[in-house]
Amino acid sequence: MEIGLASVALIALANYGVFAETSSTTARRDVEVVVVYGSREGDTDADVDLDANLDRTASATRVDVEVRSDAHASLSDILSEVPGVGVRRTGGMGAAANVMLRGADANHTSVLLGDLPLGSADAPTIDIGQLPLTLFGQVEVYRGGAPVWLSEGSIGGVLRLIPRQGDASVITAEIGAGSFGSTWGSVETRIAHDTGGSFIRAGVERSRGDYPYRDDGGTRFVASDDLTRRRANAEVTTVYGMAHVRFKTRAGQWSFLALGSHREGGEPGPAALPTEGAERKRSTAVSGVAFTRRGRLDEDHRYRVQARAGVTYSANQFTDAKGELGLGPIDAHDRDVSVQGRVAATADATRWLEGTIVLAPRHDLRMPFDRLAYERGRGDEREPASMRTSISASLETRLHGALAGRRAELRPSVQAMWSSASLYGNGAPLSPRSDMLAPTVRIGALVELSRGLTLMASAATGHRVPTILELFGNRSQLVGNLDLLPERSRTADLGLDFARAFEVVSLYGEARIFGLLLDDLIRYRRTSKFTAVPENILHARILGFEAGARVQIGDHLNMRANATALSTQDELGHALPLRPSLVASFEPSLRSGEIVEGTFDDLLGFISIEHTSSNFIDPANLVEIPPRTWVGAGVRAELFDARASAALTLHDVFDTRGFDVLGFPLPGRRMDATISYTETF
């Protein structure tokens, strides 16, 4: 039985109502727009990296996550600093978290590891809480439609996690500890050579997660019965490892990537429904290989081709033998396998015209199994397996050159995805096949107005095909619907980017307005006390403004700020749930520079302020999540010619706490400390 996902969906029903270099390594954490222009002047065949030439018109922001001073930062921490990004957390370290781009649903965001999609046919988005930040060198966020090279037609956009690579020959060890029984440790080695390099990292993280929270006793508007309790059954342990190997041959460049993680612990459930014995275990393995060749047809015509293949496997076990979460006794063992491929080619037709074509087949298989139901004889066979086969084809033309002496670029593209889903049992289909064709189009443009100032605009359509769970149900509480249509979107944005470096001051800024129209959104409608069916019943409109800025003054002072404002409305005039009208943050940092030569290299301190306005938990806008402001501070010391470092971070100084999802309280005041040592060989 697909009850692991079903339990999440039912809880949601109850609550919901149904590789470029950065400009500076002296900043605490560099956040920048992708500033590599398409014309690629000065590039050589040996130096051009495939990752450095993605679509700049797609409202792209790149974050260098290797240069940071906060202790044990997470992906959630990093992404909350990017304009247009919303992060929803369900707890502390190791708890589930997901990403929303420009107010779109979490399942409207595609997450890639390099170029490998990480979602499955039943979960198009992933839990970013299970991915340690230390595995990645950079994070890219595309909010204005997806670059065609990534072969994604997502409604919200794309989150791309770029693995670290062997750019030096070093070995690093790191240990740390924090509040609520949190501990972690890892070992990393990098090897660089003339033809490539390798990166290997393995680590473990553990937390009791027993932070205090306010229990309102189910009477939200009556404070007299409120109690302070500690989160129970929230312990979690994560073991992970990743290897990334790249090398060049005479034929081209090869890349091998392998990621594995295992997380297990208690399933605390909503605060109003605490558990004692519910458990969840999840194991994930991702592997991929890619071959890239680039060269010149002649003096004026260059090309690059890439072939990639990958496999993703996940095993998700959810055990609630006592039925503490209200769904009855469950021992679900669900497995997902995804096999993916891609062939892509780019070539110059003329000095001002480039063409790109991408073909990406994929096959997903889901195998659910409820052990308790099987042993109790509620079925003579295992639950049926579901599968989906899809193939997408993308075509883009890129016109680039000069307009009135200024750089200009135009990128029209089209993509079509065909998908076929079916449900199988005992080797035979159990229901009619669901076939869908989902085309998308996009056009992006930019023009340089003056030195360092660029105007950009884009318009795109997007889609999300129904999940296996939505199509076929779980043969229990959730009923399938084969008549579902793909969710569709239309989006447009207009913005400015500014980047200039003066003698003492460096400035970077981005600002955009955007609009998003959503049609045929899938929501569950209750059909009885215990069942619900998905239907295309919602249309919505989102308007917004996003801005980010970074100022660096000399070698000592750095300031970062970003803000996202949203105005959302469904067809009944209500605001969409879980969309704060304003999210803003500000972070100044100050560094000393070298204090004692060869011993005390640098001391950096920072203060962070993050504000989230109130928002509604339900479609009818009856229950409101109050606003919150978090204040944090930290310090980091670099020692012994940068071989050693120590960092201390204090989060939520004023113990504001709060929550992103009603019923799942977030930890309040807490502290993290990390020590690391690096040796070159």
Side-chain angles (χ1 to χ4, degrees):
M1 179 183 294
E2 301 183 35
I3 200 66
L5 286 172
S7 63
V8 175
L10 287 176
I11 290 172
L13 283 173
N15 290 333
Y16 187 71
V18 213
F19 284 166
E21 302 234 347
T22 55
S23 58
S24 170
T25 59
T26 62
R28 171 177 172 246
R29 186 184 299 114
D30 286 328
V31 182
E32 61 175 356
V33 81
V34 180
V35 296
V36 181
Y37 284 91
S39 53
R40 296 176 288 183
E41 283 101 317
D43 288 347
T44 66
D45 293 340
D47 297 331
V48 175
D49 191 311
L50 182 67
D51 299 330
N53 295 287
L54 297 181
D55 188 352
R56 191 186 175 199
T57 68
S59 298
T61 300
R62 173 178 291 144
V63 185
D64 185 341
V65 301
E66 292 196 59
V67 182
R68 66 185 193 277
S69 61
D70 40 352
H72 202 59
S74 66
L75 266 175
S76 297
D77 298 328
I78 294 294
L79 292 172
S80 64
E81 301 176 2
V82 178
V85 177
V87 179
R88 293 193 303 190
R89 310 166 181 87
T90 61
M93 191 175 91
N98 56 37
V99 180
M100 303 169 66
L101 300 182
R102 289 183 170 175
D105 290 344
N107 58 12
H108 293 159
T109 301
S110 296
V111 182
L112 307 180
L113 177 62
D115 294 334
L116 285 170
L118 291 180
S120 68
D122 230 356
T125 189
I126 67 161
D127 171 17
I128 64 171
Q130 67 176 317
L131 299 173
L133 182 66
T134 51
L135 298 179
F136 313 115
Q138 293 174 328
V139 174
E140 293 176 347
V141 183
Y142 296 90
R143 309 180 296 280
V148 72
W149 191 268
L150 300 181
S151 61
E152 294 287 336
S154 307
I155 290 176
V158 175
L159 168 61
R160 186 166 182 252
L161 309 173
I162 301 178
R164 294 189 182 184
Q165 50 186 312
D167 50 8
S169 295
V170 298
I171 184 169
T172 301
E174 179 180 283
I175 58 172
S179 303
F180 315 122
S182 299
T183 56
W184 56 88
S186 63
V187 177
E188 169 190 312
T189 182
R190 305 189 195 200
I191 301 175
H193 48 81
D194 294 340
T195 60
S198 62
F199 165 86
I200 300 174
R201 188 180 186 109
V204 60
E205 299 178 347
R206 186 182 183 279
S207 176
R208 292 196 310 269
D210 57 346
Y211 51 86
Y213 70 96
R214 192 188 70 172
D215 182 2
D216 62 12
T219 57
R220 178 172 174 78
F221 301 105
V222 179
S224 59
D225 61 350
D226 291 358
L227 298 173
T228 297
R229 302 183 186 275
R230 285 192 171 272
R231 204 79 162 107
N233 195 34
E235 70 282 352
V236 62
T237 300
T238 303
V239 181
Y240 64 89
M242 189 174 79
H244 184 207
V245 179
R246 301 177 70 173
F247 62 89
K248 295 178 181 179
T249 65
R250 298 181 66 177
Q253 178 175 279
W254 290 88
S255 175
F256 296 90
L257 180 66
L259 167 67
S261 70
H262 176 77
R263 183 174 64 181
E264 63 178 71
E267 181 62 49
L273 197 66
T275 65
E276 294 181 356
E279 298 179 345
R280 186 178 296 277
K281 298 179 181 179
R282 182 175 180 83
S283 299
T284 302
V286 181
S287 63
V289 57
F291 173 77
T292 305
R293 179 182 175 88
R294 58 184 93 240
R296 294 183 182 272
L297 299 173
D298 55 39
E299 181 71 19
D300 298 324
H301 299 84
R302 293 177 296 177
Y303 72 89
R304 57 174 173 168
V305 295
Q306 184 193 70
R308 172 184 60 75
V311 178
T312 301
Y313 170 83
S314 65
N316 189 13
Q317 179 180 346
F318 173 65
T319 303
D320 185 9
K322 299 179 181 180
E324 294 178 290
L325 289 173
L327 301 173
I330 297 168
D331 188 10
H333 298 249
D334 299 339
R335 293 175 294 159
D336 292 273
V337 179
S338 176
V339 181
Q340 310 150 14
R342 191 182 71 169
V343 178
T346 295
D348 293 328
T350 68
R351 293 183 61 89
W352 49 269
L353 178 62
E354 179 184 271
T356 299
I357 186 169
V358 182
L359 191 66
R362 174 171 175 164
H363 181 73
D364 293 274
L365 174 65
R366 180 164 178 80
M367 298 165 284
F369 177 57
D370 187 341
R371 186 181 61 84
L372 290 180
Y374 183 77
E375 291 178 351
R376 292 174 183 175
R378 300 210 314 245
D380 297 328
E381 58 192 39
R382 288 176 175 261
E383 292 291 314
S386 53
M387 61 183 66
R388 166 175 280 148
T389 300
S390 61
I391 184 169
S392 67
S394 307
L395 177 65
E396 178 188 72
T397 57
R398 172 178 157 265
L399 295 89
H400 57 94
L403 183 65
R406 299 292 182 182
R407 294 176 186 267
E409 185 172 322
L410 183 68
R411 286 178 178 260
S413 62
V414 61
Q415 180 189 90
M417 189 187 80
W418 172 81
S419 171
S420 178
S422 53
L423 191 68
Y424 276 79
N426 293 330
L430 299 180
S431 67
R433 194 175 66 182
S434 174
D435 294 334
M436 295 184 183
L437 179 64
T440 60
V441 296
R442 180 181 179 273
I443 185 168
L446 68 82
V447 59
E448 187 181 34
L449 301 179
S450 63
R451 182 183 176 189
L453 181 63
T454 305
L455 174 69
M456 286 180 277
S458 70
T461 62
H463 72 268
R464 181 186 75 85
V465 297
T467 66
I468 295 294
L469 184 65
E470 292 166 340
L471 289 171
F472 302 113
N474 66 348
R475 305 182 78 184
S476 181
Q477 295 94 344
L478 300 183
V479 180
N481 184 357
L482 289 174
D483 294 326
L484 288 173
L485 301 173
E487 296 181 331
R488 298 176 294 112
S489 71
R490 290 163 289 166
T491 183
D493 62 44
L494 176 68
L496 291 169
D497 287 338
F498 178 77
R500 285 290 300 274
F502 302 95
E503 185 174 350
V504 177
V505 179
S506 296
L507 303 175
Y508 159 72
E510 59 176 317
R512 293 178 179 87
I513 56 174
F514 59 87
L516 179 62
L517 298 178
L518 302 168
D519 297 306
D520 296 325
L521 294 182
I522 298 172
R523 295 293 184 263
Y524 278 89
R525 179 178 62 85
R526 290 191 181 277
T527 54
S528 70
K529 182 178 180 181
F530 299 106
T531 60
V533 62
E535 296 179 348
N536 296 106
I537 59 175
L538 186 63
H539 303 269
R541 179 269 293 161
I542 299 174
L543 300 176
F545 171 77
E546 61 191 24
R550 180 162 55 87
V551 179
Q552 184 172 324
I553 302 176
D555 295 330
H556 301 285
L557 178 62
N558 189 81
M559 291 180 287
R560 176 198 56 79
N562 71 275
T564 303
L566 293 177
S567 173
T568 67
Q569 182 176 303
D570 64 15
E571 54 198 352
L572 299 178
H574 297 139
L576 296 178
L578 304 177
R579 272 77 166 183
S581 59
L582 177 64
V583 177
S585 67
F586 173 66
E587 184 180 281
S589 61
L590 187 66
R591 64 188 319 139
S592 66
E594 189 174 56
I595 298 175
V596 180
E597 184 177 358
T599 302
F600 204 149
D601 305 310
D602 200 5
L603 181 66
L604 182 146
F606 67 89
I607 298 174
S608 62
I609 303 171
E610 180 182 333
H611 175 77
T612 302
S613 68
S614 61
N615 57 101
F616 296 102
I617 192 64
D618 63 307
N621 296 173
L622 299 177
V623 182
E624 187 178 48
I625 297 177
R628 67 164 186 259
T629 300
W630 286 340
V631 178
V635 62
R636 185 181 190 90
E638 300 286 343
L639 308 169
F640 310 117
D641 293 326
R643 294 197 305 273
S645 67
L648 178 69
T649 302
L650 182 61
H651 305 271
D652 194 6
V653 173
F654 299 106
D655 203 24
T656 304
R657 304 180 190 179
F659 42 85
D660 289 333
V661 181
L662 190 63
F664 291 84
L666 299 175
R669 186 187 300 115
R670 60 201 184 279
M671 183 174 62
D672 293 328
T674 296
I675 298 174
S676 66
Y677 183 80
T678 299
E679 190 63 55
T680 303
F681 60 89

